[in-house]
C-alpha cells in the first residue's frame, strides 16, 4: 500500500492524513456557520418535505384570523359561570387558585375576591351554546361555530403570549404562522402576497402590535406578512415614483434582476433571489391591490350585513370585508389585529364597547363566506392571547371591576375549514379558573390549524443553524375531536 501511494505522488502517512482530515472538517463546520444553508439540498429534505406541496389532502385552503389583541374576558363573552355571581366578593379558595403566578398588577393585592359577570347569557341554536348579551350577532351564527373553552398558554404577559400564539415561541425571531403556511403551501394568486396583515383599534390605547408578529424569521423574506394600511396607499412604497411609467418600471426590474443574478452566482445567497421575487410581487400588486380595495362593486346587502363602519377605512368592519376580498382572491393567510381588549379596570364599560366594535362584522364575515360557498374552504378564527381572572383586579364595586391576565384557560372560536360546526369543546370549572375537560395547548391549536390546510406539523420543518425548527416546536397534537 505504501509503495502504491509513493508511486502516485501521494506521500501521505497516517499522521498527515488525520491532520488534513481535521482541517477539512473544521472548514466544513465554519462554512455551515457562515452560510447556514451551505449543505442544504434544493429539493425535499431528509424528512421528505417539499415546499408548496401539502402532506395530504387539505380541508381548507385559506385562513382568516380575527385576533382580539389584549385578551377578551371569557367570563363576559362565552364562558357562562352563574356560580361566580353567587360567590361575588368572596375570596377565591386556595385549592382553586393553586400555585398560579401573578402579574405585577396584582402581585401586591392582599385579597382576591371573586366577581361574576355583569352581563346576562342565553342559549342559542341547536347546539344550545351559551353566548353573552354583548354578542347578539355572534349568537345568530352559533351553529356555524366551534367554541373552544379550554385553551391555555404558558405566558402570563401580553408580549410573550401574543408572540407565542403567532410564532410558537415566546422569544420572537421565529416565523409567524402565516409565514409557515406561505412556506409550506406556496402561492395561490401570484399577483397578491400569501400573507397579509390588517390593523384596527378599539377604545383607549390598549396593547400594541409589532412587526415581529408577522415576521418571516429565518425563512426567505418573500414569506413575510405584508401590512395593509388605511391611507391612500394601502401598501406603502408600492406606487411608481413620479416621472416613471409602467414600461420604465418593467425595464428597471429586468435590469435589476440581471444584476442580482450575477450577485447570486457569485455569493449564492438565497436572500438575493427572494428580493427579486419581492420586487416582482410589488410590480404585480400595483394593479391587483387597487382592485381588491375597491368597495364600489359590493352590494347594498353586503354593506348592510357588515354595518356602516365597513365603509370607514381602518375599522374592524372594513378590515373584515377586506379580509373576505383578499381571501376570495387567493391570499393564504389574512391576519387581523383589533386592539383594545386589555380591561384591568372599568371592564363593564370598556368591554361593552369592544364587543360592539367586533360583533356584527365577525358574524357578517362568517355569513358572507357561507353564502358565497367559501366557508368550507376558509378557516375563520376568533380569539386573543390568554384569558382573564375570575377574581377582580383592584377595587370591586357593585357596578365596576377589572380582571387580570389568566393563562390557565381562555375561549376562542373557529368556523369553516373542515371544523365541526355547532359544537362547544372543553369546559372550565364552576369558577372559570381551571380547565375541567379537554385542555387545548397553544401548540395543539397550531397543529390543528396546519392539519386543516394539509400540513403535518411534525413534518413542516426548516433547518436553520444546525437545528430543525417547526411552528409547534417539539410538542403539539391535532385535536381530532373538533374536525368534521
Amino acid at each position: 500500500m505504501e509503495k502504491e501511494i509513493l508511486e502516485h505522488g501521494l506521500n501521505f502517512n497516517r499522521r498527515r492524513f488525520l491532520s488534513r482530515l481535521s482541517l477539512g472538517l473544521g472548514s466544513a463546520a465554519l462554512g455551515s456557520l457562515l452560510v447556514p444553508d451551505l449543505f442544504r439540498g434544493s429539493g425535499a429534505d431528509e424528512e421528505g418535505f417539499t415546499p408548496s406541496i401539502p402532506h395530504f389532502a387539505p380541508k381548507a385552503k385559506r385562513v382568516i384570523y380575527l385576533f382580539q389583541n389584549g385578551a377578551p374576558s371569557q367570563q363576559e363573552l362565552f364562558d357562562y359561570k352563574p356560580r361566580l355571581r353567587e360567590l361575588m366578593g368572596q375570596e377565591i379558595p386556595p385549592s382553586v387558585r393553586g400555585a398560579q403566578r401573578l402579574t405585577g398588577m396584582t402581585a401586591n393585592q392582599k385579597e382576591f375576591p371573586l366577581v361574576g359577570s355583569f352581563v346576562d347569557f342565553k342559549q342559542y341554536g341547536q347546539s344550545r351554546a351559551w353566548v353573552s348579551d354583548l354578542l347578539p350577532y355572534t349568537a345568530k351564527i352559533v351553529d356555524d361555530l366551534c367554541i373552544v373553552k379550554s385553551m391555555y398558554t404558558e405566558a402570563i404577559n401580553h408580549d410573550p403570549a401574543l408572540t407565542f400564539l403567532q410564532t410558537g415561541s415566546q422569544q420572537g425571531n421565529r416565523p409567524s404562522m402565516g409565514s409557515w403556511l406561505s412556506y409550506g403551501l406556496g402561492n395561490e394568486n401570484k399577483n397578491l402576497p400569501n400573507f397579509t396583515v390588517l390593523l384596527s383599534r378599539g377604545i383607549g390605547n390598549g396593547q400594541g402590535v409589532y412587526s415581529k408578529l408577522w415576521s418571516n424569521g429565518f425563512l426567505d423574506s418573500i414569506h413575510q406578512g405584508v401590512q395593509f394600511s388605511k391611507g391612500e396607499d394601502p401598501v406603502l412604497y408600492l406606487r411608481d415614483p413620479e416621472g416613471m411609467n409602467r414600461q420604465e418600471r418593467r425595464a428597471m426590474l429586468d435590469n435589476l434582476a440581471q444584476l442580482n443574478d450575477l450577485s447570486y452566482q457569485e455569493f449564492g445567497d438565497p436572500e438575493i433571489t427572494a428580493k427579486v421575487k419581492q420586487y416582482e410581487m410589488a410590480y404585480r400588486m400595483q394593479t391587483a391591490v387597487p382592485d381588491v380595495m375597491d368597495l364600489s362593486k359590493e352590494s347594498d346587502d353586503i354593506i348592510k350585513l357588515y354595518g356602516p363602519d365597513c365603509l370607514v377605512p381602518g375599522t374592524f368592519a372594513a378590515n373584515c370585508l377586506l379580509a373576505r376580498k383578499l381571501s376570495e382572491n387567493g391570499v393564504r393567510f389574512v391576519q387581523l389585529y383589533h386592539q383594545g381588549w386589555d380591561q384591568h379596570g372599568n371592564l363593564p364599560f370598556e368591554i361593552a364597547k369592544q364587543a360592539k366594535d367586533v360583533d356584527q362584522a365577525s358574524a357578517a364575515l362568517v355569513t358572507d363566506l357561507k353564502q358565497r360557498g367559501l366557508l368550507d374552504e376558509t378557516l375563520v378564527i376568533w380569539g386573543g392571547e390568554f384569558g382573564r381572572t375570575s377574581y377582580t383586579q383592584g377595587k370591586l364595586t357593585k357596578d365596576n371591576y377589572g380582571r387580570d391576565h389568566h393563562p390557565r384557560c381562555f375561549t376562542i372560536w373557529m368556523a369553516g375549514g373542515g371544523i365541526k360546526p355547532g359544537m362547544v369543546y372543553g369546559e372550565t370549572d364552576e369558577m372559570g379558573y381551571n380547565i375541567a375537560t379537554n385542555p387545548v395547548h397553544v401548540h395543539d391549536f397550531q397543529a390543528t390549524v396546519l392539519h386543516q390546510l394539509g400540513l403535518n406539523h411534525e413534518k413542516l420543518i426548516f433547518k436553520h443553524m444546525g437545528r430543525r425548527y417547526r411552528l409547534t416546536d417539539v410538542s403539539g397534537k391535532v385535536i381530532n375531536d373538533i374536525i368534521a
Side-chain angles (χ1 to χ4, degrees):
M1 176 65 72
E2 215 172 308
K3 183 178 178 183
E4 258 181 35
I5 293 175
L6 289 171
E7 285 177 356
H8 287 84
L10 301 174
N11 190 13
F12 275 101
N13 56 29
R14 188 173 66 172
R15 181 178 299 170
R16 290 190 66 191
F17 171 77
L18 292 175
S19 175
R20 292 293 180 88
L21 177 62
S22 66
L23 288 173
L25 292 174
S27 299
L30 178 61
S32 68
L33 289 173
L34 295 175
V35 186
D37 295 317
L38 182 63
F39 302 109
R40 187 170 178 222
S42 57
D45 62 20
E46 60 268 36
E47 284 84 11
F49 173 68
T50 302
S52 304
I53 300 177
H55 298 117
F56 44 83
K59 293 179 178 289
K61 294 181 180 179
R62 294 170 290 276
V63 175
I64 300 176
Y65 198 157
L66 309 177
F67 199 91
Q68 309 306 312
N69 189 37
S73 172
Q74 70 275 20
Q75 290 93 340
E76 273 69 37
L77 300 178
F78 295 103
D79 203 7
Y80 179 48
K81 296 299 172 187
R83 180 68 172 150
L84 279 179
R85 282 187 171 180
E86 298 173 11
L87 299 173
M88 180 81 81
Q90 297 185 30
E91 187 75 6
I92 184 171
S95 60
V96 174
R97 182 179 156 195
Q100 169 68 34
R101 65 192 179 105
L102 303 175
T103 70
M105 281 79 74
T106 53
N108 295 321
Q109 280 190 198
K110 295 180 179 179
E111 297 178 341
F112 298 89
L114 294 166
V115 55
S117 174
F118 74 96
V119 67
D120 292 326
F121 282 67
K122 296 181 181 65
Q123 288 178 290
Y124 295 91
Q126 294 182 356
S127 64
R128 308 307 295 154
W130 290 98
V131 180
S132 161
D133 288 354
L134 294 177
L135 301 172
Y137 289 93
T138 302
K140 294 176 183 178
I141 63 160
V142 73
D143 283 337
D144 293 316
L145 309 182
C146 175
I147 301 172
V148 181
K149 294 184 178 181
S150 52
M151 285 286 297
Y152 72 101
T153 185
E154 299 171 13
I156 198 170
N157 287 313
H158 293 286
D159 187 314
L162 183 53
T163 307
F164 189 45
L165 247 171
Q166 296 301 324
T167 71
S169 169
Q170 295 185 45
Q171 284 73 40
N173 301 318
R174 300 277 186 90
S176 63
M177 192 184 305
S179 296
W180 277 112
L181 286 176
S182 175
Y183 166 68
L185 297 175
N187 279 75
E188 190 175 357
N189 183 339
K190 67 178 183 178
N191 296 324
L192 289 170
N194 260 344
F195 176 19
T196 61
V197 179
L198 305 166
L199 308 181
S200 58
R201 185 184 293 276
I203 63 170
N205 292 323
Q207 291 297 318
V209 292
Y210 17 82
S211 59
K212 75 173 183 178
L213 298 173
W214 49 92
S215 167
N216 55 294
F218 42 70
L219 299 176
D220 288 344
S221 55
I222 193 68
H223 302 301
Q224 179 177 335
V226 175
Q227 182 183 342
F228 280 47
S229 69
K230 63 181 180 180
E232 292 184 7
D233 294 322
V235 180
L236 298 179
Y237 313 116
L238 193 62
R239 291 186 182 183
D240 291 331
E242 290 185 15
M244 175 177 282
N245 58 37
R246 292 283 288 174
Q247 290 75 22
E248 291 170 331
R249 179 77 162 192
R250 181 68 266 167
M252 183 199 76
L253 290 176
D254 290 341
N255 291 329
L256 188 60
Q258 292 179 21
L259 292 173
N260 277 308
D261 184 54
L262 292 173
S263 295
Y264 180 75
Q265 291 180 33
E266 183 176 356
F267 299 106
D269 184 354
E271 191 61 23
I272 295 173
T273 58
K275 286 189 179 298
V276 172
K277 291 178 183 177
Q278 287 179 318
Y279 296 147
E280 292 294 334
M281 172 64 74
Y283 178 77
R284 295 191 298 270
M285 285 171 62
Q286 286 181 325
T287 54
V289 167
D291 185 57
V292 172
M293 298 293 290
D294 182 12
L295 298 181
S296 64
K297 297 177 184 178
E298 298 295 328
S299 68
D300 292 340
D301 288 341
I302 291 297
I303 302 302
K304 184 179 179 181
L305 180 66
Y306 284 86
D309 279 354
C310 76
L311 297 177
V312 181
T315 62
F316 181 80
N319 286 348
C320 280
L321 180 52
L322 181 55
R324 187 267 290 165
K325 291 170 67 68
L326 288 166
S327 182
E328 188 177 34
N329 281 275
V331 175
R332 291 279 187 198
F333 195 92
V334 184
Q335 178 80 67
L336 279 69
Y337 290 99
H338 187 64
Q339 302 169 67
W341 287 99
D342 195 20
Q343 281 95 40
H344 290 274
N346 201 23
L347 183 145
F349 172 77
E350 291 188 5
I351 199 170
K353 292 183 68 67
Q354 281 291 117
K356 188 176 181 180
D357 272 350
V358 305
D359 179 38
Q360 181 175 357
S362 299
L365 176 62
V366 173
T367 302
D368 193 7
L369 290 168
K370 187 176 181 180
Q371 64 191 15
R372 292 171 186 271
L374 295 172
L375 187 59
D376 288 344
E377 61 185 37
T378 308
L379 177 59
V380 183
I381 305 165
W382 190 103
E385 62 264 40
F386 42 58
R388 291 283 163 176
T389 55
S390 301
Y391 56 78
T392 186
Q393 175 180 336
K395 187 177 180 180
L396 172 62
T397 69
K398 181 181 177 181
D399 302 315
N400 204 0
Y401 56 89
R403 297 188 190 274
D404 199 9
H405 309 165
H406 190 61
R408 283 195 186 182
C409 56
F410 62 106
T411 300
I412 69 167
W413 60 251
M414 307 168 79
I419 296 294
K420 287 181 181 177
M423 179 183 188
V424 176
Y425 185 79
E427 291 291 341
T428 57
D429 62 23
E430 65 177 0
M431 296 183 192
Y433 198 82
N434 296 298
I435 293 172
T437 62
N438 299 323
V440 179
H441 186 267
V442 166
H443 285 322
D444 302 334
F445 161 73
Q446 293 164 338
T448 305
V449 171
L450 293 180
H451 178 274
Q452 295 308 95
L453 283 103
L455 295 169
N456 183 333
H457 74 105
E458 293 181 335
K459 293 183 178 179
L460 183 61
I461 293 171
F462 189 89
K463 190 174 181 181
H464 173 66
M465 299 296 287
R467 182 191 162 183
R468 292 169 179 82
Y469 288 87
R470 66 188 211 212
L471 175 62
T472 53
D473 199 40
V474 294
S475 59
K477 62 182 184 298
V478 176
I479 310 301
N480 289 301
D481 290 343
I482 69 173
I483 296 174

